[in-house]
Amino acid sequence: MSTPDPSPHAAEGSLPGSGGDALAARLRAIVGSDGLLVRDDELFVYECDGLTLEACRPTAVVLPETTAQVAAVVRACRAAGVPFVPRGAGTGLSGGAHPVPGSVVIECSRMKKILAVDAENRTAVVQPGVVNADLSDAIQHLGLFYAPDPSSQLACTIGGNVAENSGGPHTLKYGATTDHVLAVEVVMPDGEILRLGSPTGAASGLDLVGAFVGSEGTLGIATEVTVRLTALPEAIETLLVIFPDVVTACRAVGEVIGTGLVPAAMEILDQRTIAAVEDSVYAAGLPRDAGAVLICELDGAAVSLDPQVERIREIARANQASDVRVAEDETQRAQFWKARKGAFGAMGRLAPDLYVHDAVVPRAKLPEVIAQVCEIADRHRLRLSNVFHAGDGNLHPNISFDRRDEDELGRVIQAGGEILAACVAAGGVITGEHGVGVEKRDYLPLVFSEADLDAMRRLRAAFDPDLVCNPGKAFPTTRFCAESNPKARGYDQVPFE
Amino acid sequence: MKEPIKELASVYQGTLDCVHCGLCLTSCPTYLATGRETSSPRGRVYLMRGAAEGRVELTGLLAEEAHLCLGCRACETACPAGVPYGAMLEETRAVLQASGARTSMAARLERGLLRNVVAHKNRLRAVVGLLGFAQRLGLDRLAARLLPASLRDALALMPRVPSGPDRAPLPETTPAQGERRGRVAFFTGCLMSEVFAPVQQATVRVLAANGFEVVVPAGQGCCGALHAHAGDLEHARGLARHNAAVFGRDDFDAILLDSAGCGAAMREAGHWIPGEGDAMASKVRDVCEFLDAVGLRTPTGRYDARVCYDDPCHLVHGQGVEAAPRRLLRQVPGLELVAHANPTRCCGAAGTYNLTQPEMSAIVLADKMDALCAADPEVIATGNPGCMMQLAKGVAGRGARARVVHPVEILDAAYRTPA
Ligand SMILES: Cc1cc2nc3c(=O)[nH]c(=O)nc-3n(C[C@H](O)[C@H](O)[C@H](O)COP(=O)(O)OP(=O)(O)OC[C@H]3O[C@@H](n4cnc5c(N)ncnc54)[C@H](O)[C@@H]3O)c2cc1C
Ligand code: SF4
Ligand code: SF4
């Protein structure tokens, strides 16, 4: 369906639909006028997140500041029979924070307090709206950091990270979000407040934290997260290795890991990505004529690094690398990483929209799958670039497109399906870290049997029997805003042609 | 359905660069203060696009957000897609202005003041002279009690107007000292030359001490920055044209400024008046950037103080100058440069913002003062008149000890005090 027509009531601050006025009044009583958005143009801004393939306007947006307010908002929505959608910074790439028709968006951005840091036990308790990078910044002076580092870490929130089980370049060595969450306070879909896990991480009972992390906002709303902190390594070396093409770069990555080395990160950028980055504010002097570059980071005890750097040099040379540059100082190291982490955004220079794919394949299959992915894009006349967590076999084929071009939009969706099928055929899975959201729910049967899906549905129902908490996400269901017909993907006009 | 807005066509092109990644969110002071996507750069770009496409009203939320936005351009520094946000904001404000959407009393007063007073050197001089007179008689405090809140704030922001000799106009030519390294023009600006005359005198002395002959071309006018930010692009273009003619009369190694806001505007002149403004714009440099590039002559004296350097938005985000002022300050014997949190975040001055959006300005300033007070400097250095006034107000509000100065004043003192 397309965006609902603006309600005549919206301007006066009430909600459309029966009982809308009463719900608006109740929400206002909970979060105050300042914490409630109901005007049509305010809601317009919330119609999508990092995924712009489709869109849908919510009925209201609330900005709570406390767990009690979240619980009250949830109860008010329940009473009114209205679904709700948690949202962090809206950087998600699978549409997890996309509103569903008639929904209330619960935006956690005002819940951004770091409540406690326990340096001795290396834990921190944070509200869900704390920005990933802010947490690491705040504990740096203690010699600690928060290890999961999505490339969006300057903006994305811990709540969003927990919901998506986000990873990052350093997941290769340190693991994804799920390896760093000890306990979660959750407002359940019925408004009850639960505490899952234990602050020490000691296991007792069923591992409900494990179930909650990665549940994409469908099991409840995280209102407090206890995370594990990690000691900053004594020394870091960051290498930039220049390859003639993606295939040689992938082979080198495979060999490095095959020798038993555990780099902290191994990221590959292909030529198109290099060009986009070098044209952006994050230009880092990457060679534009390289077919691919590998950013490889080693960390640990200072004495252990030199031999590792040497070993990687050898492997790189054996795989036709033309150059291995070691970051000279912290500034250059930061530059390499900014180039990597700004890569998605930098692709804005290529076309108005970007569809960031996410799939994982066995590492040995990387060169073969990349070749297939390129072939698929070429066949559909699409502009594709690759930047990916090579060490994990986590691919991010990025397709640049223009949502105003209906034909192209159709080809993007078509190619997306084929890319996922190719990854699955190679023994892979359809998401590494961006989640299923609305984007991939219909591809789930590629990797799960009906019985698998049913087991997940039953778990979901144990938390949210009425399916009111972020409905329509992460499970194959009837479509909400999006139809397979791109014309009806929620954008109501395509002028300026 | 609303109509697409053709006047927003160039803004629309800019919005197409935005991939909605959100990397700009946490650079934005108004997003940090409100947590609202609507008050974030990504949200504002989305509204601009929506208005251009006829999907949202031009005069609704977009109009409000275009004025709640500080115009600090921190989002531009953060944006990997290179969305030209500053230029898009100016255009949007101009379209809003033309549509008559912004006709509040305050807006009309602001526009009138900018057009009729600030843009005319002699009138501004007269007004500032009157203000100084009133300050000395204590009349400003009386007026403060009688005036509406927004004007009261304006008065509170004004520094003590320097009296007599300190406001004497700069000599048209100041000879280089020591070995001559070149000849530069000095753009004095409007507010800077009136209220911050001592800073400008310091700038001239420092440049001379570094071997440059300094020319202050007669007939130069206001840079137009405040007009452009307020949506009066038409008037800003006129001012830029005038300045391009004045500075085009002679050949200078560089055109220097000590006001970051004016510097950014003068550099934009190339966009405002394509072709005509390019020659001037390509020579514009901030005084700190210039001294850093040519190499500072080591100061002969000392400046013993703990100093925090706070980046003016229009220098760091508007002109990309971040390291140069810090490098200069580090060369001053005795000076201890101390870091504070988020030096590149706006202080809330933002041209006339502290007058038009006093509430948000106060929130943004409070954040800035938290960061500065935690570092407890004796001196705060920043290279823009609006920021100097705003930070001075912040320091006074906290009862802190710091003095607020322009970096060139520190250099000047270090050249003039014996070792
Ligand atoms: C440029 C860019 C780079 C990226 N790089 C990476 C990367 O390297 N690795 C990676 O894994 N991801 C990456 N992502 C994807 C995205 O940043 C992550 O998924 C991130 O965790 C989303 O966080 P957010 O705060 O923006 O959440 P949102 O996008 O707002 O929401 C994401 C999901 O979390 C749910 N949610 C939000 N808050 C809560 C809460 N308090 N309780 C319950 N559910 C909640 C939402 O309902 C939604 O389903 C990238 C995105 C961009 C734009
Ligand atoms: S950083 Fe740039 S591309 Fe990304 S959302 Fe902000 S304006 Fe858009
Ligand atoms: S200019 Fe400043 S206030 Fe305006 S959107 Fe950008 S960062 Fe936010």
Side-chain angles (χ1 to χ4, degrees), chain B residues 175-328:
Chain B
Q177 285 169 21
E179 195 190 326
R180 192 184 139 102
R181 297 162 83 189
R183 179 165 175 270
V184 296
F186 184 33
F187 177 89
T188 55
C190 43
L191 192 60
M192 201 71 194
S193 63
E194 285 307 327
V195 186
F196 288 90
V199 173
Q200 300 220 308
Q201 291 161 358
T203 299
V204 171
R205 280 193 297 268
V206 168
L207 285 168
N210 273 280
F212 291 93
E213 182 187 319
V214 186
V215 181
V216 180
Q220 52 174 297
C222 167
C223 68
L226 293 177
H227 307 80
H229 298 163
D232 199 351
L233 256 183
E234 177 201 331
H235 202 76
R237 286 198 185 101
L239 291 167
R241 241 175 236 121
H242 171 81
N243 283 325
V246 169
F247 284 90
R249 274 187 224 131
D250 203 340
D251 192 27
F252 302 106
D253 297 342
I255 300 169
L256 302 183
L257 299 94
D258 56 12
S259 154
C262 308
M266 295 279 282
R267 280 185 157 157
E268 289 294 308
H271 297 295
W272 292 350
I273 43 170
E276 293 169 75
D278 297 339
M280 174 178 76
S282 68
K283 283 194 179 175
V284 171
R285 296 284 178 281
D286 181 77
V287 59
C288 289
E289 177 191 16
F290 180 77
L291 286 169
D292 177 62
V294 298
L296 188 75
R297 281 186 181 161
T298 310
T300 44
R302 304 177 58 80
Y303 192 87
D304 290 292
R306 267 172 74 84
V307 178
C308 279
Y309 173 77
D310 199 56
D311 296 85
C313 295
H314 285 95
L315 195 56
V316 62
H317 306 304
Q319 303 180 60
V321 177
E322 186 171 2
R326 293 179 169 85
R327 271 198 294 263
L328 294 182

Side-chain angles (χ1 to χ4, degrees), chain A residues 28-355:
Chain A
R28 192 172 292 111
I30 298 163
V31 291
S33 302
D34 180 56
L36 176 69
L37 309 179
V38 288
R39 278 164 46 186
D40 196 47
D41 40 11
E42 291 173 329
L43 302 176
F44 166 73
V45 174
Y46 285 87
E47 68 179 11
C48 63
D49 54 15
L51 178 80
T52 57
L53 271 179
E54 52 186 78
C56 177
R57 256 173 249 193
T59 290
V61 177
V62 288
L63 296 118
E65 288 174 37
T66 63
T67 301
Q69 285 183 352
V70 173
V73 166
V74 165
R75 282 195 299 269
C77 290
R78 289 307 304 264
V82 165
F84 43 92
V85 178
R87 178 178 157 118
T91 67
L93 293 169
S94 57
H98 278 207
V100 296
S103 63
V104 169
V105 169
I106 303 179
E107 164 130 273
C108 300
S109 54
R110 288 187 179 172
M111 300 178 73
K112 56 176 179 181
K113 288 202 194 82
I114 297 175
L115 299 169
V117 175
D118 180 344
E120 205 178 325
N121 291 306
R122 292 190 186 161
T123 62
V125 183
V126 303
Q127 285 191 308
V130 167
V131 169
N132 177 301
D134 287 353
L135 176 55
S136 282
D137 281 352
I139 53 179
Q140 193 189 11
H141 69 283
L142 301 169
L144 298 171
F145 75 117
Y146 178 63
D149 62 336
S151 301
S152 52
Q153 72 188 131
L154 280 177
C156 67
T157 67
I158 299 291
N161 295 170
V162 167
E164 300 288 7
N165 186 20
S166 299
H170 290 81
T171 294
L172 179 58
K173 175 167 179 178
Y174 293 99
T177 301
T178 189
D179 301 308
H180 301 269
V181 176
L182 303 173
V184 192
E185 179 191 76
V186 181
V187 169
M188 297 286 287
D190 62 0
E192 286 289 310
I193 299 168
L194 275 196
R195 285 184 168 273
L196 312 179
S198 77
T200 60
S204 55
L206 289 179
D207 180 12
L208 294 178
V209 175
F212 190 84
V213 176
S215 63
E216 304 194 20
T218 63
L219 300 188
I221 300 175
T223 46
E224 221 178 86
V225 184
T226 307
V227 296
R228 191 196 300 283
L229 306 177
T230 306
L232 283 164
E234 183 190 317
I236 303 177
E237 289 288 2
T238 309
L239 283 65
L240 182 75
V241 192
I242 321 293
F243 287 97
D245 51 46
V246 173
V247 175
T248 44
C250 288
R251 262 196 221 115
V253 168
E255 263 181 55
V256 169
I257 293 177
T259 60
L261 288 176
V262 187
M266 297 190 98
E267 303 281 308
I268 293 179
L269 283 67
D270 74 357
Q271 190 162 26
R272 275 172 180 280
T273 309
I274 294 168
V277 167
E278 287 303 307
D279 286 339
S280 80
V281 289
Y282 294 138
L286 307 180
R288 287 173 186 268
D289 55 352
V293 297
L294 167 70
I295 298 173
C296 180
E297 188 156 284
L298 299 157
D299 66 9
V303 288
S304 72
L305 296 189
D306 281 355
Q308 294 186 46
V309 170
E310 267 328 296
R311 190 78 192 90
I312 287 173
R313 261 187 216 281
E314 285 163 24
I315 295 173
R317 290 228 183 79
N319 283 286
Q320 302 172 38
S322 59
D323 196 7
V324 180
R325 301 182 194 164
V326 181
E328 277 159 24
D329 50 22
E330 191 47 41
T331 317
Q332 199 175 24
R333 175 174 174 259
Q335 240 182 9
F336 288 170
W337 279 117
K338 274 193 171 170
R340 165 61 187 89
K341 297 194 171 183
F344 290 162
M347 290 180 203
R349 312 191 78 91
L350 304 181
D353 293 283
L354 182 70
Y355 184 14

Side-chain angles (χ1 to χ4, degrees), chain A residues 345 348, chain B residues 15 17-25 41-43 45 75 78-83 85:
Chain B
T15 68
D17 284 344
C18 173
V19 284
H20 223 246
C21 68
L23 291 190
C24 52
L25 293 178
R42 179 174 64 175
V45 170
C75 48
C79 175
V83 171
Y85 182 84

Side-chain angles (χ1 to χ4, degrees), chain B residues 99 336 346:
Chain B
S99 78
E336 184 198 354
C346 186

